[in-house]
Amino acid sequence: VCEHRWQGVAGLVRFRRLLGDLAHGGVTRWRLWSDKSGHAAFGLHNVSFAALNHGYNWETRTGSNNSWSLVGVDAYMPQGTYCNLALASQPVPDSWDGSCFHDEAAMVVVDNNGTIIEGKVPPTGVLAIHVKYANLHNSTADILVI
């Protein structure tokens, strides 16, 4: 079994490498939804954002088998179109070429207030976005460089 070939593994490895030392104690926002649907999200400064959708748990009968729409969630990221690195099934290049694994569902759009206006997390899925894999639209935000 080659776990490194599973969807998401390569992208999440790249995401972790991009975070570098920020991942050690740098969580700036933690949001936990109490809607019993198993949704959680967090951000590191204004350079990355991750969201998790637990899915349905047959034991506790909580959660959902539906995708989680992130529309309206504050990501505190600069305005732009981002690629969900968690959907990568191949090694992710060091720099972004503007395509998102040829999958429109992997795109996440953030408005000028840092709020997600387009994007979702699949059931039992993960979303991971980073400014280095984004087309930033006229952003004037100061981005922490790592």
Side-chain angles (χ1 to χ4, degrees):
V1 175
C2 299
E3 291 89 354
H4 66 283
R5 293 180 186 231
W6 293 350
Q7 182 180 27
V9 172
L12 291 175
V13 168
R14 171 66 62 204
F15 184 70
R16 171 61 182 95
R17 287 181 180 161
L18 288 168
L19 296 179
D21 290 334
L22 280 179
H24 299 289
V27 175
T28 57
R29 294 170 303 282
W30 176 258
R31 302 213 186 255
L32 182 60
W33 284 260
S34 60
D35 60 5
K36 305 232 182 221
S37 292
H39 300 153
F42 63 92
L44 292 170
H45 303 285
N46 65 343
V47 297
S48 66
F49 177 81
L52 299 92
N53 185 357
H54 181 271
Y56 187 75
N57 183 319
W58 289 96
E59 180 79 22
T60 63
R61 300 198 188 287
T62 59
S64 170
N65 278 328
N66 298 321
S67 292
W68 173 27
S69 172
L70 294 173
V71 173
V73 172
D74 291 326
Y76 301 102
M77 300 282 289
Q79 179 181 11
T81 302
Y82 294 82
C83 183
N84 181 1
L85 295 173
L87 293 179
S89 57
Q90 299 292 323
V92 177
D94 288 336
S95 61
W96 193 43
D97 64 3
S99 70
C100 198
F101 320 119
H102 308 290
D103 184 358
E104 286 294 318
M107 302 301 271
V108 178
V109 181
V110 176
D111 71 9
N112 62 344
N113 295 317
T115 303
I116 296 174
I117 58 173
E118 185 180 322
K120 62 184 176 180
V121 185
T124 66
V126 176
L127 175 128
I129 58 176
H130 192 279
V131 294
K132 287 194 176 183
Y133 291 84
N135 180 8
L136 301 180
H137 306 293
N138 301 323
S139 178
T140 58
D142 291 328
I143 299 172
L144 177 67
V145 177
I146 56 174

